[in-house]
Amino acid sequence: MSKPSTPQGTRDFLPAVMARRNYIFDTIRTVIQKYGYVEIQTPAMENLSTLTGKYGDEGDQLIFKILNSDDYLAKANVEALEAKDSKKLLSSISKRALRYDLTVPFARYVVQNQNDIIFPFKRFQIQPVWRADRPQKNRYREFYQCDVDVIGSDSLLLELEIIQILDEVFRDLKLNVVIKINNRKILRGLAQYIGVEDRMTDLVVAIDKIDKVGLEGVLKELSGKGFSADELKKVDELLSTDSDDLARITSLVESSEEGRKGLEEVNYVIDGSNEQGLKSAKIEFDFSLARGLNYYTGTIIEVVGEDFPVSIGGGGRYDDLTGVFGLKDMSGIGVSFGADRIYNLLEDKGLFPEKLGVSTQIMFVNLGDAEAKYCLGLVAELRANGISCELYPDSAKMKKQMKYADGKNVELVAIVGETEMGHINRMVKVKNMTTGDQVTQTFKKLISDLKQ
Amino acid sequence: MSKPSTPQGTRDFLPAVMARRNYIFDTIRTVIQKYGYVEIQTPAMENLSTLTGKYGDEGDQLIFKILNSDDYLAKANVEALEAKDSKKLLSSISKRALRYDLTVPFARYVVQNQNDIIFPFKRFQIQPVWRADRPQKNRYREFYQCDVDVIGSDSLLLELEIIQILDEVFRDLKLNVVIKINNRKILRGLAQYIGVEDRMTDLVVAIDKIDKVGLEGVLKELSGKGFSADELKKVDELLSTDSDDLARITSLVESSEEGRKGLEEVNYVIDGSNEQGLKSAKIEFDFSLARGLNYYTGTIIEVVGEDFPVSIGGGGRYDDLTGVFGLKDMSGIGVSFGADRIYNLLEDKGLFPEKLGVSTQIMFVNLGDAEAKYCLGLVAELRANGISCELYPDSAKMKKQMKYADGKNVELVAIVGETEMGHINRMVKVKNMTTGDQVTQTFKKLISDLKQ
């Protein structure tokens, strides 16, 4: 029999990793709950029709489809079957699919449950998503998203709030970050200035790639899309501008009403955040921040490490996320935390708290039936005091038991033999696994030590 | 456009429900961590070959299969395709499937990660599973399982520990329960007594149904399976015995070595639990407890409510869970908590704590730009003190803002207008939404009140 394995691109989370992941999620959770956000969950599977067409053609390909149950070929499209046309056959053999992100299910959720929701609705959601991407280093087919959104208000106070949340979460995680801000309306103003408002998407998609392909690459792509020499010259000038040069951008979009509105919003958000005083993050304007996603309509946010250029969170304001499901005029803003990237950064920088994953405070050695039975009473008493402890289940060799305690990072090992059991006070011999020190003390003292 | 919906048998969890579900899981988690169990997670999808053949033919049918990506028909079995043979085609178009329970993935996990695991391995796992069952009331296609297992030791101390955990969890949930105990070896002894050891599975499966189909039903089923008149008479006598009549069962299985061993184990577990003293649960022998699952080899456990006969948890000891994946001789014991049933019971009995789901302690009314900006400072200070609070994002009508606070069960609403802002001490008007009382107090006093 071959050794069993997880499917490509998926992972088992071992206890130590799990504890670190929980540390990240718990940190985020603790902060956002202080802002009045409530948790929801949606099912792993959605109707295929809910997901199809929301992520572009490429996205549609990457959605994991679930085969209908029972005799799925009974209702299969015969023509497609005979032609061996996978695409055409699909809808007749698959009605359901795994969610691809948390955003579309959230929009579906808001529309479906609108009568049970108090708006503005402040929600967070921490669940896995699945994508049939080609597996590669740090890219998984199953990964967690952690989304924080408010929907049902267009107040810019929420921009300030979301930025405060980002600031506080990353401060608590001890990561120094820069929060980059732009506004979709500024990008539209710039498109007007260049004279390509009708090709806004091409422009945004190209600019979004500047970090990867450089200025030359962006110009080449736009040239391929039919941008004229004059238009390309303006793009060139624009992209040669410092990305935080607010004055220059202001002069370029001044003539555009939408551009001016975008500038006003960006200024409100940056000034407001600075007045409030961020705890640890820096906030910066960056007109080249585009975020490819089409649903953003106002503020765009991206969080990068101060000394590492990867995005570890981001989001923005959208005015019509739920429109596609029939609920119009619901403005909202949301950000997503990149849990896997945050994990890798914390690990690289050694920023995880040391004591994580230590679940057991003290382990009692098992010296035989009589001693074990006696120790059962002791561990029960410790647990009643909220102390996490174990009695080794077998009277195995001391070496094996010590190895177990060591492997589980248990700091203290208790040894209770005949001498200790016979003592008028309940005595326990306690060995510190880090220092090697060994003391014999009363059980009462042990409890009070451990409770601290 | 039709209103979007979740797939049949799946659920959105709204904030109030989510808070209650988290209460159950957190209660379980808190208890089991005190016993040194650590959390793991496995991927939602497993290789289809990992799952197939582990749950019987019926189970195999109920596994949700995931369609291969891209052009899945390219490598499809042509013969099966032409014959429209869904079953035969399956393995050529689907390599992956959604997990059906946590047990088989756990066995796979232990074998795959055996070099990174410290044995005995005490783990818990709280994750959803998927089954293509016909949807019906209280039966879902996606539901959470919560499993607690120790693998790598056959010590009966672990039986005692698992029972203590069950006792403590249900005490903390304030549910009065009976923990029923049996042993697979006793069932084998009884099969020997009846003379049907070779048809042990038939016997166990039939006995397992007695609550549903009654004694007549069991006898009818066994008759159908070819049990002789003499054998049926013995089954009849047996099942007419009180299910907790240990003395009678003892006399019946005395001649079977395995039966005697089973009795010894049951006595050890029941006596040991009683000596330890259970905190709230009752423990009871029940020879009719069979649990259909074939992998149990020793102790069998089932938890039912004291005044309601449904199973809300259960499990047992297995000697060869990982054998199917190539790792022999790993004895273990585990139990699973029935989260949905526990939820329904707590709800029916009104046992959920009242304050669950209240995430926001105080909401600040938004009276306009200047007031809102001022209040931003106040909410920031409250949050720095660990207090959960909100500033309503829009300067909407007072009635609308109050309705929001009311809908979110926020107990206190703060109103800060010109008068309060102009005061030499920072003053806040605070309205209690339950009592209707309104007081004006210093912000300092408010913080200290809320911190309590």
Side-chain angles (χ1 to χ4, degrees):
Chain A
M1 182 177 346
S2 65
K3 216 176 151 188
S5 63
T6 43
Q8 251 201 323
T10 68
R11 296 166 283 177
D12 281 332
F13 294 121
L14 277 87
V17 175
M18 199 60 213
R20 291 176 159 208
R21 291 174 61 84
N22 281 341
Y23 163 71
I24 295 172
F25 292 132
D26 289 346
T27 302
I28 298 174
R29 202 184 294 263
T30 302
V31 171
I32 50 192
Q33 284 181 336
K34 279 194 292 183
Y35 288 79
Y37 290 70
V38 289
E39 186 168 8
I40 66 159
Q41 284 186 345
T42 62
M45 50 176 83
E46 293 280 349
N47 289 320
L48 186 52
S49 57
T50 299
L51 304 184
T52 307
K54 309 301 188 300
Y55 307 104
D57 282 350
E58 206 185 324
D60 279 354
Q61 292 281 325
L62 301 183
I63 294 171
F64 278 110
K65 286 92 181 176
I66 296 166
L67 207 51
N68 292 345
S69 313
D70 300 329
D71 188 9
Y72 56 90
L73 285 179
K75 290 182 184 168
N77 178 330
V78 179
E79 219 175 284
L81 206 60
E82 277 167 8
K84 290 187 77 174
D85 186 336
S86 294
K87 223 169 188 169
K88 201 166 167 192
L89 183 65
L90 186 64
S91 67
S92 68
I93 62 168
S94 167
K95 275 193 306 225
R96 287 168 289 257
L98 293 180
R99 70 172 159 252
Y100 180 85
D101 68 4
L102 301 182
T103 307
V104 170
F106 175 55
R108 193 267 310 142
Y109 173 103
V110 168
V111 178
Q112 185 175 338
N113 300 291
Q114 54 185 290
N115 297 327
D116 298 314
I117 292 174
I118 320 285
F119 293 101
F121 182 44
K122 302 169 99 174
R123 88 87 171 77
F124 70 96
Q125 187 171 354
I126 303 175
Q127 290 194 281
V129 302
W130 295 270
R131 296 182 184 180
D133 262 319
R134 190 179 301 277
Q136 48 180 288
K137 192 175 180 327
N138 291 329
R139 176 164 296 188
Y140 303 104
R141 291 183 151 184
E142 172 181 82
F143 58 96
Y144 271 69
Q145 288 197 335
C146 173
D147 279 18
V148 184
D149 288 81
V150 196
I151 192 163
S153 163
D154 60 5
S155 166
L156 286 173
L157 287 174
L158 295 172
E159 263 80 348
L160 296 183
E161 179 164 300
I162 289 287
I163 287 164
Q164 282 185 304
I165 289 174
L166 290 169
D167 176 38
E168 207 169 325
V169 164
F170 288 109
R171 182 208 47 185
D172 288 356
L173 291 172
K174 299 181 180 55
L175 274 178
N176 296 323
V177 299
V178 179
I179 301 172
K180 294 188 172 184
I181 300 287
N182 195 13
N183 194 297
R184 205 66 184 228
K185 292 166 190 158
I186 292 179
L187 288 171
R188 188 167 291 278
L190 290 171
Q192 283 170 15
Y193 155 76
I194 298 167
V196 294
E197 204 191 346
D198 55 330
R199 282 157 286 160
M200 168 90 179
T201 304
D202 289 344
L203 182 70
V204 165
V205 168
I207 291 182
D208 210 21
K209 293 182 189 157
I210 193 166
D211 284 343
K212 280 183 203 151
V213 301
L215 179 53
E216 286 307 309
V218 172
L219 293 175
K220 198 176 157 195
E221 173 168 335
L222 290 176
S223 168
K225 297 262 181 192
F227 275 49
S228 71
D230 185 48
E231 288 160 359
L232 289 175
K233 186 163 165 277
K234 282 185 169 171
V235 174
D236 187 0
E237 271 173 27
L238 174 67
L239 293 181
S240 306
T241 308
D242 282 342
S243 67
D244 61 348
D245 190 342
L246 196 48
R248 165 100 173 113
I249 298 302
T250 304
S251 73
L252 294 184
V253 303
E254 228 162 20
S255 61
S256 153
E257 196 189 322
E258 209 172 347
R260 284 198 308 275
K261 182 89 177 88
L263 277 168
E264 202 181 288
E265 292 181 10
V266 157
N267 281 319
Y268 178 92
V269 171
I270 293 181
D271 294 348
S273 294
N274 285 329
E275 269 169 46
Q276 277 291 303
L278 294 180
K279 293 175 164 65
S280 123
K282 287 182 182 141
I283 188 163
E284 235 173 47
F285 171 66
D286 184 347
F287 80 87
S288 75
L289 182 63
R291 290 186 77 85
L293 297 166
N294 262 321
Y295 52 78
Y296 292 122
T297 49
T299 304
I300 311 171
I301 301 169
E302 188 142 290
V303 184
V304 298
E306 208 175 23
D307 56 359
F308 41 85
V310 270
S311 168
I312 51 178
R317 179 168 286 281
Y318 41 81
D319 280 336
D320 196 27
L321 196 63
T322 56
V324 65
F325 296 119
L327 184 63
K328 299 282 177 198
D329 297 323
M330 291 292 270
S331 186
I333 178 170
V335 284
S336 189
F337 290 88
D340 282 309
R341 283 190 177 166
I342 294 173
Y343 185 101
N344 291 341
L345 274 176
L346 292 179
E347 189 158 62
D348 288 351
K349 292 174 170 287
L351 290 174
F352 280 113
E354 226 180 85
K355 279 289 181 185
L356 286 178
V358 181
S359 71
T360 303
Q361 295 173 262
I362 184 165
M363 186 197 87
F364 283 70
V365 167
N366 186 328
L367 295 175
D369 286 353
E371 291 87 347
K373 226 157 197 179
Y374 176 84
C375 287
L376 272 184
L378 302 186
V379 287
E381 201 168 329
L382 287 172
R383 289 177 190 137
N385 280 283
I387 294 155
S388 161
C389 56
E390 293 181 56
L391 165 63
Y392 193 86
D394 303 284
S395 60
K397 284 191 182 135
M398 184 65 91
K399 198 177 158 188
K400 190 174 176 191
Q401 300 193 41
M402 287 297 180
K403 205 177 148 192
Y404 174 85
D406 195 44
K408 270 189 100 170
N409 282 318
V410 180
E411 184 144 352
L412 300 177
V413 167
I415 301 154
V416 179
E418 271 180 40
T419 324
E420 289 79 16
M421 285 165 70
H423 200 280
I424 189 161
N425 291 314
R426 293 183 296 172
M427 301 304 283
V428 182
K429 199 186 291 173
V430 179
K431 181 176 173 165
N432 184 310
M433 296 290 281
T434 314
T435 64
D437 292 349
Q438 197 162 302
V439 290
T440 299
Q441 59 182 134
T442 64
F443 184 59
K444 207 174 154 187
K445 171 90 166 51
L446 177 65
I447 293 182
S448 79
D449 287 356
L450 286 172
K451 276 180 86 170
Q452 278 163 12
Chain B
M1 184 179 345
S2 65
K3 217 176 149 186
S5 63
T6 43
Q8 252 200 325
T10 69
R11 295 166 285 177
D12 282 331
F13 294 120
L14 277 89
V17 175
M18 198 61 214
R20 291 175 161 209
R21 291 173 61 85
N22 281 342
Y23 163 72
I24 295 173
F25 293 130
D26 289 345
T27 302
I28 297 174
R29 202 184 293 263
T30 303
V31 170
I32 50 191
Q33 284 181 337
K34 279 194 292 183
Y35 288 79
Y37 290 71
V38 289
E39 186 168 9
I40 66 158
Q41 285 186 345
T42 63
M45 50 177 83
E46 292 280 349
N47 290 319
L48 186 53
S49 57
T50 299
L51 304 184
T52 306
K54 310 301 189 299
Y55 306 105
D57 283 348
E58 206 186 324
D60 279 353
Q61 292 280 324
L62 301 182
I63 294 172
F64 277 111
K65 286 93 180 176
I66 296 167
L67 207 51
N68 292 344
S69 312
D70 299 328
D71 187 8
Y72 56 90
L73 285 178
K75 290 181 182 167
N77 177 330
V78 179
E79 218 174 286
L81 207 59
E82 276 166 10
K84 289 187 76 173
D85 186 336
S86 294
K87 223 169 186 167
K88 202 167 166 190
L89 182 66
L90 187 64
S91 68
S92 68
I93 63 168
S94 168
K95 275 192 306 223
R96 287 167 289 256
L98 293 179
R99 69 173 159 250
Y100 180 85
D101 68 4
L102 301 182
T103 307
V104 171
F106 175 55
R108 193 267 310 143
Y109 173 103
V110 167
V111 178
Q112 184 175 338
N113 300 291
Q114 55 186 289
N115 297 328
D116 298 313
I117 292 174
I118 320 287
F119 293 100
F121 183 43
K122 301 169 100 175
R123 87 87 170 77
F124 70 95
Q125 187 171 356
I126 303 176
Q127 290 193 281
V129 302
W130 296 269
R131 295 182 184 180
D133 262 319
R134 190 178 300 278
Q136 49 180 286
K137 192 174 180 324
N138 291 330
R139 176 164 297 188
Y140 303 104
R141 290 182 153 184
E142 172 181 80
F143 57 97
Y144 272 69
Q145 288 196 334
C146 173
D147 280 18
V148 184
D149 287 82
V150 196
I151 193 163
S153 162
D154 61 4
S155 166
L156 286 173
L157 286 174
L158 295 173
E159 262 81 346
L160 296 183
E161 180 165 297
I162 289 286
I163 286 163
Q164 281 185 304
I165 288 174
L166 291 169
D167 176 38
E168 207 169 324
V169 164
F170 288 109
R171 181 207 51 182
D172 289 354
L173 291 172
K174 299 182 181 51
L175 275 177
N176 296 322
V177 300
V178 178
I179 300 171
K180 294 186 173 187
I181 299 287
N182 195 14
N183 194 297
R184 205 69 183 226
K185 291 167 190 156
I186 292 179
L187 288 170
R188 188 167 291 276
L190 289 170
Q192 282 170 14
Y193 155 75
I194 298 166
V196 295
E197 203 190 347
D198 54 332
R199 282 157 287 160
M200 167 90 179
T201 303
D202 290 343
L203 181 70
V204 166
V205 167
I207 291 182
D208 209 22
K209 294 183 187 155
I210 193 165
D211 284 342
K212 282 183 202 151
V213 300
L215 179 53
E216 287 306 311
V218 172
L219 294 175
K220 200 175 154 197
E221 174 168 334
L222 291 175
S223 168
K225 297 260 179 191
F227 276 49
S228 71
D230 185 48
E231 288 161 359
L232 289 174
K233 186 162 165 279
K234 281 185 170 171
V235 173
D236 186 0
E237 272 173 25
L238 174 67
L239 293 182
S240 307
T241 308
D242 281 341
S243 67
D244 61 347
D245 190 342
L246 195 50
R248 164 97 173 116
I249 298 301
T250 304
S251 74
L252 294 184
V253 303
E254 227 162 22
S255 61
S256 151
E257 194 189 323
E258 208 172 347
R260 284 198 308 274
K261 181 88 178 93
L263 277 168
E264 201 182 289
E265 291 182 10
V266 157
N267 282 318
Y268 178 91
V269 172
I270 293 182
D271 294 348
S273 294
N274 286 327
E275 268 169 47
Q276 277 290 304
L278 294 180
K279 293 175 165 64
S280 122
K282 286 181 184 139
I283 188 163
E284 235 173 47
F285 171 65
D286 184 347
F287 80 86
S288 76
L289 182 65
R291 291 188 76 86
L293 297 167
N294 262 321
Y295 51 76
Y296 292 122
T297 48
T299 302
I300 311 173
I301 301 169
E302 189 142 290
V303 184
V304 299
E306 208 174 24
D307 57 359
F308 41 85
V310 268
S311 169
I312 50 179
R317 179 168 286 280
Y318 41 82
D319 279 336
D320 195 28
L321 195 62
T322 55
V324 67
F325 296 119
L327 184 64
K328 299 280 176 199
D329 297 323
M330 290 293 270
S331 186
I333 177 170
V335 284
S336 189
F337 290 88
D340 283 309
R341 283 187 175 168
I342 293 172
Y343 186 100
N344 291 340
L345 273 176
L346 291 179
E347 189 158 62
D348 288 350
K349 292 174 171 288
L351 289 175
F352 280 113
E354 228 179 84
K355 281 287 182 187
L356 285 179
V358 181
S359 70
T360 303
Q361 294 173 262
I362 185 165
M363 185 197 88
F364 283 70
V365 167
N366 185 328
L367 295 176
D369 286 353
E371 291 88 346
K373 220 147 202 188
Y374 177 84
C375 288
L376 273 183
L378 302 186
V379 288
E381 200 168 330
L382 286 173
R383 288 176 190 136
N385 280 282
I387 294 156
S388 161
C389 55
E390 292 182 55
L391 165 62
Y392 193 85
D394 303 285
S395 59
K397 285 193 179 133
M398 184 64 91
K399 199 177 157 189
K400 191 174 174 191
Q401 300 193 41
M402 287 297 179
K403 204 177 148 194
Y404 174 86
D406 196 45
K408 270 189 100 169
N409 283 318
V410 180
E411 184 145 349
L412 300 177
V413 167
I415 301 155
V416 179
E418 271 181 37
T419 324
E420 290 79 16
M421 283 165 72
H423 200 282
I424 190 161
N425 291 315
R426 293 183 298 173
M427 301 303 284
V428 183
K429 201 186 291 173
V430 179
K431 182 176 172 164
N432 184 309
M433 296 290 280
T434 314
T435 63
D437 292 350
Q438 197 163 301
V439 291
T440 299
Q441 59 182 135
T442 63
F443 184 61
K444 206 172 156 189
K445 171 91 165 50
L446 178 66
I447 293 182
S448 80
D449 286 356
L450 285 171
K451 275 180 88 170
Q452 278 163 14

